[in-house]
């Protein structure tokens, strides 16, 4: 199993943000995307998951083309995106957030199977298992990031696209998140890790790509890149903290999601 990207360009409107990206993620690999804020890392991840359409280029997974598939179809193929900023549904319980992670498979997964999957996924996240009926909005930032990753694992991915999982977390929680990422690789999962925290992401990555202004400018083994002067001078840092903001529509969204889950 491998993700192969050749000549990929994507962006917003007519203007590409990423240009002519070539990239590969092999089976059981952690591949890091390193770059400053605004370099194009999140745009690349969105193009791979289908949230943004590719303007040019090819995306293949397991030898099959992905570029024209919808996000849902890509999830069903095993490609799952955990977005930047966590984006959990704060008005829903932890259990309801997890059920939404398996939404694309709702026709083939009965209630018992769904609960068994929640229990299996939460073996890695005991803090979530203890609070399944608690609103997700009451969790700490680190716990919400764990929930976001657990929600992604509910779709049983083969390739996990992680976008800035350490953003806004304390150093202790950052270490915990990176240990979790390593444990997922140990179970055979392939991971594309988009991160501003170059020191830690390159430290655990099998291979890495450095992105500047939408283009790959360096690539190689994670530890080798960590020792290069260019990376050491420009990318050894962490992202800015994320501040929570209210959403006036969150109550209505919560009701709609809960009604869908009830069906």
């Amino acid at each position: 199993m491998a993700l192969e990207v050749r000549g990929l360009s994507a962006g917003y409107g007519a203007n590409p943000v990423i240009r002519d990206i070539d990239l590969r993620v092999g089976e059981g690999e952690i591949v890091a995307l390193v770059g400053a804020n605004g370099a194009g890392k999140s745009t690349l991840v969105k193009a791979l998951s289908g949230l943004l359409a590719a303007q040019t280029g090819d995306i293949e997974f397991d030898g099959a083309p992905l570029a024209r598939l919808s996000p849902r179809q890509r999830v069903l193929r095993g490609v799952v995106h955990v977005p930047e900023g966590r984006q959990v549904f704060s008005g829903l319980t932890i259990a309801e957030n997890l059920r939404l992670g398996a939404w694309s498979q709702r026709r083939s997964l009965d209630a018992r199977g769904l609960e068994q999957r929640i229990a299996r996924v939460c073996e890695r996240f005991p803090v979530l298992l203890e609070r399944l009926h608690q609103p997700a909005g009451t969790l700490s930032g680190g716990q919400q990031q764990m929930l976001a990753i657990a929600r992604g694992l509910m779709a049983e991915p083969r390739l996990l696209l992680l976008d800035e999982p350490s953003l806004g977390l304390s150093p202790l929680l950052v270490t915990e998140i990176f240990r979790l990422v390593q444990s997922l690789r140990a179970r055979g999962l392939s991971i594309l890790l988009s991160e501003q925290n170059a020191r830690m992401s390159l430290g655990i990555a099998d291979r890495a790509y450095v992105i500047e202004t939408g283009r790959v400018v360096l690539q190689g083994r994670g530890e080798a890149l960590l020792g290069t002067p260019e990376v050491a001078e420009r990318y050894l840092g962490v992202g800015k903290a994320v501040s929570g903001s209210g959403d006036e529509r969150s109550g209505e969204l919560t009701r709609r999601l809960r009604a869908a889950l009830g069906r």
Side-chain angles (χ1 to χ4, degrees):
M1 182 277 294
L3 175 76
E4 296 276 358
V5 178
R6 294 181 293 273
L8 179 64
S9 297
Y12 306 88
N15 299 318
V17 175
I18 56 170
R19 299 171 180 85
D20 300 320
I21 298 289
D22 292 338
L23 177 146
R24 183 181 186 277
V25 182
E27 185 172 1
E29 275 193 317
I30 296 176
V31 174
L33 297 177
V34 175
N37 185 36
K41 304 187 305 298
S42 292
T43 299
L44 173 55
V45 172
K46 288 177 182 177
L48 296 177
S49 69
L51 295 180
L52 279 179
Q55 296 174 348
T56 61
D58 298 315
I59 306 170
E60 292 186 356
F61 185 64
D62 261 355
L66 287 187
R68 296 187 179 182
L69 298 185
S70 69
R72 178 180 181 275
Q73 289 171 319
R74 298 186 201 201
V75 169
L76 291 173
R77 293 284 181 93
V79 179
V80 172
H81 181 184
V82 177
E84 178 183 354
R86 301 182 279 276
Q87 298 187 29
V88 301
F89 298 102
S90 60
L92 297 181
T93 67
I94 291 167
E96 288 169 331
N97 271 272
L98 293 172
R99 292 187 191 110
L100 286 172
W103 183 256
S104 63
Q105 302 167 11
R106 63 191 182 280
R107 293 185 178 90
S108 60
L109 195 63
D110 61 19
R112 182 182 178 188
L114 186 58
E115 297 311 310
Q116 289 175 339
R117 186 174 297 183
I118 288 175
R120 187 165 62 248
V121 166
C122 284
E123 288 177 358
R124 301 183 183 93
F125 308 93
V127 67
L128 300 181
L129 193 59
E130 296 165 0
R131 307 180 184 188
L132 285 177
H133 304 295
Q134 180 175 321
T138 64
L139 296 176
S140 69
Q143 291 166 346
Q144 287 188 16
Q145 185 61 64
M146 291 178 186
L147 175 57
I149 295 173
R151 183 179 60 193
L153 295 176
M154 284 292 294
E156 296 193 330
R158 292 185 294 150
L159 171 64
L160 195 63
L161 310 174
L162 287 176
D163 195 3
E164 303 286 0
S166 74
L167 195 63
L169 302 184
S170 69
L172 184 61
L173 288 173
V174 169
T175 300
E176 190 173 348
I177 291 295
F178 276 86
R179 284 175 179 164
L180 170 64
V181 173
Q182 287 181 293
S183 75
L184 294 175
R185 174 182 56 186
R187 292 173 178 257
L189 189 60
S190 300
I191 298 167
L192 182 65
L193 175 63
S194 169
E195 261 291 340
Q196 289 186 61
N197 189 333
R199 186 182 302 278
M200 294 199 70
S201 57
L202 292 176
I204 68 169
D206 299 292
R207 294 183 300 106
Y209 298 82
V210 178
I211 298 181
E212 289 185 3
T213 60
R215 297 181 184 274
V216 173
V217 295
L218 286 172
Q219 59 179 292
R221 292 188 304 107
E223 290 186 356
L225 287 176
L226 190 59
T228 62
E230 300 96 323
V231 172
E233 291 172 7
R234 302 179 69 172
Y235 298 111
L236 295 186
V238 296
K240 297 179 181 178
V242 174
S243 60
S245 60
D247 184 351
E248 294 179 358
R249 297 175 297 172
S250 63
E252 175 61 23
L253 179 60
T254 295
R255 287 190 290 273
R256 288 168 53 196
L257 290 170
R258 191 162 276 149
L261 286 169
R263 292 196 298 270

